[in-house]
Amino acid sequence: MEINLKDLPFDVDFHPSDSLVATGLINGYLLLHRYAAEAEPQRLLKVRAHKKSCRATRFINEGRAIVTGSPDCSILATDVETGAKIAHLENAHTAAVNRIINLTETTIASGDDAGVVKVWDTRQQSCCNTFQVHNEYISDMTFVSDSMRLLATSGDGTLSVCSIRSNKVQAQSEFCEDEPLSLAVMKNGRKVICGTQTGTLLLYSWGFFKDCSDRFVDLSPNPVDALLKYDEDRLVAGSSNGIISLVGILPNRIIQPIAEHSEYPVERLAFSHDKKLLGSISHDNMLKLWDMDELLQGSSTVTRNNTAASESDSDSDNDNDGMDVDSDLANASRGTKRKNTGGANGQTSNSSFGSFFEGL
């Protein structure tokens, strides 16, 4: 199933319980479509969310609203039913908002081009914490609900782990020249996977974040811009050559390429609420919805690649929740994929920007 968005999409998200999918476009528009099997997708909403591009898009409040983030530094909440603006925080960040993810039912996190991560509490209607841990743009984020840890990757070449409970940066990896672009947590929380600019997957053991414990080098020679966990042993990876692959983790292997979006980079991947559909967006202005049952047919035929740099999983049984908190990180000049901006490193502060979620 294909939906012509008629402009370049930056992000995609599925409704948590209904057959709805939202996309944010480079021209600042937010689109909402309803999809159904063997039927043409129906566009329900097209609203101008931002004057600049709409980089981040997420359903919140049990799917009753959509939050978007923009390079204009603002965050907007839009009503799903009417398309009306519910709340608009014009100065949510001091730099372009690049990523937004859901944390709990009442909190979300946003990351910007200066490396700042903010946590928003919808009950308090304010920003409840700011993590100034990175020096460059936030490329991806994910949340581990069991331990209330927020993980982020950045153009500064590092991975960070922040505690939502204690409002502290608990760990940060050493600088890696292989810039991390995407992020997933696997193996029941024991392994953190980062897709990188060179196509290598970096595997970190939980609690030992200074350096990766494993590298899987044979996935792709192209940047891995999107990672999506399918189950504890498999993930879906989208590369800049347009190929979408099913990948096994420990043992590390390419199970099979499952789709080709186009010849352009796969910007984002997302699952529908029941995981029956995989959504992908790219520079061809198309949102493609793939049937996972069809994609996974024949995936039991595993292609193992013995040349990959893969360590044994025996160390994972010994992983604990201890954090190897780094006290000093190099402040060398680092290249980024999108933008070169400065930022404080390893500090946290509290701030309040009231009435962001007023009415939600």
Side-chain angles (χ1 to χ4, degrees):
M1 187 184 305
E2 297 184 354
I3 301 174
N4 188 352
L5 304 172
K6 299 182 180 179
D7 221 321
L8 177 66
F10 272 158
D11 204 3
V12 58
D13 194 38
F14 285 87
H15 192 279
S17 60
D18 202 356
S19 298
L20 302 175
V21 60
T23 47
L25 306 184
I26 192 172
N27 58 9
Y29 277 92
L30 169 68
L31 302 184
L32 180 66
H33 287 85
R34 179 176 293 279
Y35 57 88
E38 301 179 357
E40 288 294 321
Q42 177 187 5
R43 193 177 75 188
L44 303 181
L45 283 179
K46 180 181 180 181
V47 297
R48 184 67 180 269
H50 300 277
K51 294 180 180 179
K52 295 185 178 180
S53 61
C54 186
R55 282 190 189 173
T57 305
R58 281 295 178 273
F59 282 96
I60 63 165
N61 199 20
E62 298 179 335
R64 292 191 291 271
I66 303 172
V67 161
T68 52
S70 172
D72 64 11
C73 303
S74 73
I75 295 177
L76 174 72
T78 301
D79 185 88
V80 167
E81 293 292 332
T82 65
K85 294 181 180 180
I86 300 174
H88 189 200
L89 186 60
E90 296 185 2
N91 297 305
H93 285 256
T94 57
V97 179
N98 192 46
R99 297 290 284 155
I100 293 177
I101 64 167
N102 292 302
L103 302 184
T104 68
E105 292 182 355
T106 57
T107 56
I108 64 170
S110 56
D112 67 24
D113 272 1
V116 176
V117 175
K118 292 189 176 186
V119 177
W120 303 91
D121 190 326
T122 61
R123 295 164 301 182
Q124 300 297 323
Q125 303 178 2
S126 65
C127 174
C128 59
N129 201 270
T130 301
F131 297 100
Q132 295 178 326
V133 59
H134 292 287
N135 296 322
E136 301 290 354
Y137 75 98
I138 301 299
S139 56
D140 203 2
M141 296 187 291
T142 192
F143 181 63
V144 181
S145 58
D146 292 343
S147 59
M148 297 294 287
R149 277 11 182 303
L150 173 61
L151 283 70
T153 52
S154 170
D156 65 9
T158 67
L159 163 72
S160 67
V161 183
C162 300
S163 172
I164 302 301
R165 288 195 180 104
S166 65
N167 294 332
K168 293 181 179 179
V169 179
Q170 291 201 315
Q172 189 173 12
S173 71
E174 294 177 347
F175 166 68
C176 179
E177 293 182 358
D178 208 356
E179 181 181 330
L181 303 176
S182 48
L183 185 61
V185 177
M186 310 279 292
K187 295 290 182 179
N188 297 304
R190 298 198 310 270
K191 295 294 177 179
V192 178
I193 321 299
C194 295
T196 67
Q197 186 73 34
T198 65
T200 297
L201 295 186
L202 305 180
L203 280 69
Y204 291 84
S205 294
W206 188 266
F208 303 92
F209 292 102
K210 282 191 176 181
D211 198 5
C212 63
S213 60
D214 193 359
R215 294 172 183 262
F216 181 44
V217 301
D218 288 343
L219 171 60
S220 173
N222 303 283
V224 180
D225 293 311
L227 288 179
L228 194 60
K229 174 183 173 181
Y230 183 68
D231 56 30
E232 298 302 334
D233 301 312
R234 296 175 294 174
L235 57 78
V236 178
S239 301
S240 66
N241 60 359
I243 301 297
I244 302 171
S245 302
L246 185 67
V247 179
I249 297 298
L250 294 173
N252 300 335
R253 65 203 188 279
I254 302 172
I255 298 176
Q256 67 177 45
I258 55 176
E260 182 177 5
H261 183 105
S262 68
E263 62 187 20
Y264 301 107
V266 177
E267 275 289 324
R268 293 282 185 264
L269 296 169
F271 281 129
S272 61
H273 65 92
D274 52 10
K275 280 194 173 180
K276 290 184 178 180
L277 293 178
L278 170 69
S280 63
I281 55 173
S282 183
H283 298 176
D284 61 351
N285 300 344
M286 302 295 292
L287 166 62
K288 296 189 178 182
L289 304 181
W290 310 87
D291 188 305
M292 284 301 296
D293 289 336
E294 293 182 3
L295 293 182
L296 296 180
Q297 283 181 0
S299 66
S300 58
T301 304
V302 176
T303 302
R304 295 179 182 272
N305 196 323
N306 294 325
T307 64
S310 175
E311 297 180 357
S312 169
D313 193 25
S314 60
D315 66 318
S316 65
D317 293 332
N318 297 322
D319 289 353
N320 55 50
D321 204 33
M323 294 289 176
D324 52 350
V325 181
D326 297 1
S327 58
D328 280 321
L329 289 176
N331 268 334
S333 175
R334 298 159 183 172
T336 66
K337 179 182 175 185
R338 176 173 292 111
K339 191 175 182 180
N340 187 8
T341 55
N345 187 33
Q347 302 294 326
T348 63
S349 62
N350 291 322
S351 58
S352 176
F353 294 83
S355 73
F356 170 42
F357 284 99
E358 185 176 359
L360 288 187

